[in-house]
């Protein structure tokens, strides 16, 4: 259960209440560097990007960093937003209600996330086996074929970060992965 205010949600509560159309820029509070943006039209979230990811993953990454007290600043700018710009089709009320679940799952597995510099590969013996994999595990294995470094895996896999971590843990238990190297 979330028992504190999440900065992004506080800003979005205000903007959705008035049916805002435009962008909410997410800045690093210390350096004022632009980290991402949440695009709204008539109070509904249309698109989101944050630290090289987009869509729902970007939205929840902003929320997670805010919950971890990463200093964020928000600048609201009106802008014309077209219907064709829409990437996120869930109502804001749904996204907000799912926030507690996302944060809880993230916090449960956050300490299990491998170091960013580690390089992982799927074991060929596992790929040749008849071992069943979940959809999430399959997505992680597919992403690993192109992006073997953990940092890149989390950036390029479409799953939420906690889903990637859960899948990596599960795949390690199945002995499906091997650590190839760690860049220093």
């Amino acid at each position: 259960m979330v028992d504190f205010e999440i900065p992004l949600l506080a800003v979005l509560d205000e903007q959705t209440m008035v049916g805002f159309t435009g962008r909410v820029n997410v800045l690093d509070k210390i350096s004022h560097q632009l980290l991402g943006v949440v695009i709204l039209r008539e109070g509904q979230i249309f698109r989101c990007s944050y630290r090289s990811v987009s869509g729902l993953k970007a939205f929840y990454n902003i929320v997670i960093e805010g919950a971890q007290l990463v200093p964020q600043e928000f600048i609201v700018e009106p802008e014309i937003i077209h219907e064709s710009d829409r990437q996120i089709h869930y109502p804001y009320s749904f996204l907000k209600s799912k926030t507690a679940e996302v944060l809880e799952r993230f916090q449960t597995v956050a300490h299990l996330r491998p170091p960013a510099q580690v390089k992982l590969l799927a074991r060929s013996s596992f790929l040749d086996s008849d071992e069943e994999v979940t959809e999430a595990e399959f997505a992680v294995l597919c992403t690993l074929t192109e992006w073997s470094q953990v940092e890149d895996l989390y950036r390029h896999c479409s799953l939420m970060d906690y889903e990637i971590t859960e899948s990596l843990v599960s795949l390690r238990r199945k002995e499906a992965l091997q650590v190839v190297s760690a860049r220093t």
Side-chain angles (χ1 to χ4, degrees), residues 41-172:
R41 181 171 181 214
E42 298 173 1
Q44 292 299 315
I45 296 177
F46 261 45
R47 191 168 20 120
C48 191
S49 63
Y50 188 69
R51 297 187 190 263
S52 303
V53 296
S54 61
L56 287 176
K57 184 172 181 170
F59 175 80
Y60 286 117
N61 282 351
I62 298 169
V63 169
I64 288 167
E65 286 195 13
Q68 293 177 317
L69 304 177
V70 171
Q72 298 170 327
E73 182 176 35
F74 304 97
I75 298 181
V76 178
E77 298 178 326
E79 187 174 304
I80 296 172
I81 307 297
H82 301 284
E83 182 66 34
S84 61
D85 291 336
R86 190 166 205 157
Q87 283 181 331
I88 298 175
H89 298 277
Y90 294 106
Y92 173 65
S93 58
F94 172 81
L95 297 174
K96 186 176 177 182
S97 68
K98 191 163 170 60
T99 297
E101 176 192 337
V102 168
L103 283 172
E104 184 178 327
R105 286 184 70 186
F106 171 81
Q107 290 168 342
T108 300
V109 297
H111 68 284
L112 300 173
R113 183 176 174 150
Q117 71 278 6
V118 169
K119 188 174 181 180
L120 302 171
L121 290 178
R123 291 185 188 278
S124 58
S125 59
F126 178 81
L127 297 175
D128 292 337
S129 75
D130 291 334
E131 182 85 35
E132 288 191 27
V133 293
T134 66
E135 257 184 73
E137 291 169 341
F138 183 75
V140 167
L141 288 169
C142 287
T143 306
L144 280 173
T145 62
E146 192 169 346
W147 308 100
S148 61
Q149 191 156 346
V150 169
E151 179 179 30
D152 294 332
L153 170 66
Y154 279 86
R155 182 179 304 120
H156 295 285
C157 186
S158 63
L159 299 173
M160 297 293 299
D161 287 5
Y162 66 82
E163 293 172 313
I164 296 169
T165 304
E166 291 169 348
S167 295
L168 287 173
V169 168
S170 156
L171 288 167
R172 283 288 287 197

Side-chain angles (χ1 to χ4, degrees), residues 10-21 24 40 42-43 76:
V11 171
L12 292 178
D13 284 345
E14 292 174 358
Q15 300 310 316
T16 58
M17 188 171 21
V18 297
F20 176 74
T21 296
V24 177
L40 295 105
E42 298 173 1
V76 178

